[in-house]
Amino acid sequence: MRINESNVNDVLGKDVHGADGRKIGEVCQLFLDAVTGAPEWVTVKTGIVGTKESFVPIAQAQLEGDFLTVPYDEELVKGAPTLNVDTDHLSKDEEAELYRHYGLDYFDGDSDQDGDLQRGGVDAAAVTVDSPDRTPRR
């Protein structure tokens, strides 16, 4: 099942499996598109002690029971650009860098007179896992 606005809470805390079926890590945060509100990125805790969080696009991800499957391997996810996961927003430059890393086309839309992005950019205003019992917060 694809990730959408109605099942975003089901994604948090799930194990993430790569294209080869192997576990990569665990979903920690979900980032929404600033304009559409559609889920766009998750951060995945990786490593033996889960000390690193990597951004992973979820446009092609599938929620399959107890885990989320992404079409990327562990090395690609772990090699994602290091960005501040404690922010509530990705700049369009950060987002473009992530898209390039995953080999995806990036469309940032048009800018208004002030140069502010009208489409694109991502907010983390959705939910994150912040307790051991994986209770999501908004």
Side-chain angles (χ1 to χ4, degrees):
M1 158 184 354
R2 294 248 185 233
I3 311 309
N4 58 46
E5 291 86 350
S6 67
N7 63 7
V8 293
N9 289 319
D10 298 337
V11 173
L12 295 169
K14 297 285 187 191
D15 286 343
V16 177
H17 291 215
D20 62 0
R22 297 179 61 204
K23 181 180 174 183
I24 296 173
E26 181 180 303
V27 174
C28 186
Q29 299 182 76
L30 177 75
F31 283 65
L32 304 177
D33 182 276
V35 174
T36 68
E40 191 161 352
W41 300 91
V42 292
T43 62
V44 177
K45 281 190 178 186
T46 60
I48 295 173
V49 291
T51 56
K52 182 177 190 247
E53 279 183 62
S54 300
F55 282 87
V56 180
I58 59 171
Q60 299 173 341
Q62 294 286 325
L63 186 58
E64 301 176 5
D66 291 335
F67 58 90
L68 181 70
T69 300
V70 295
Y72 310 106
D73 64 26
E74 182 176 19
E75 292 308 311
L76 186 64
V77 171
K78 285 183 173 184
T82 303
L83 302 175
N84 183 0
V85 297
D86 295 325
T87 184
D88 64 352
H89 185 81
L90 288 176
S91 72
K92 73 177 188 175
D93 290 338
E94 290 170 325
E95 190 176 21
E97 182 180 11
L98 287 168
Y99 270 87
R100 278 191 302 276
H101 174 75
Y102 286 101
L104 301 171
D105 291 331
Y106 177 68
F107 171 73
D108 68 359
D110 297 322
S111 297
D112 63 17
Q113 306 95 310
D114 299 326
D116 292 332
L117 190 63
Q118 293 180 352
R119 189 211 161 287
V122 179
D123 283 323
V127 285
T128 60
V129 176
D130 67 344
S131 66
D133 67 351
R134 295 187 173 129
T135 303
R137 67 176 166 85
R138 284 195 175 270

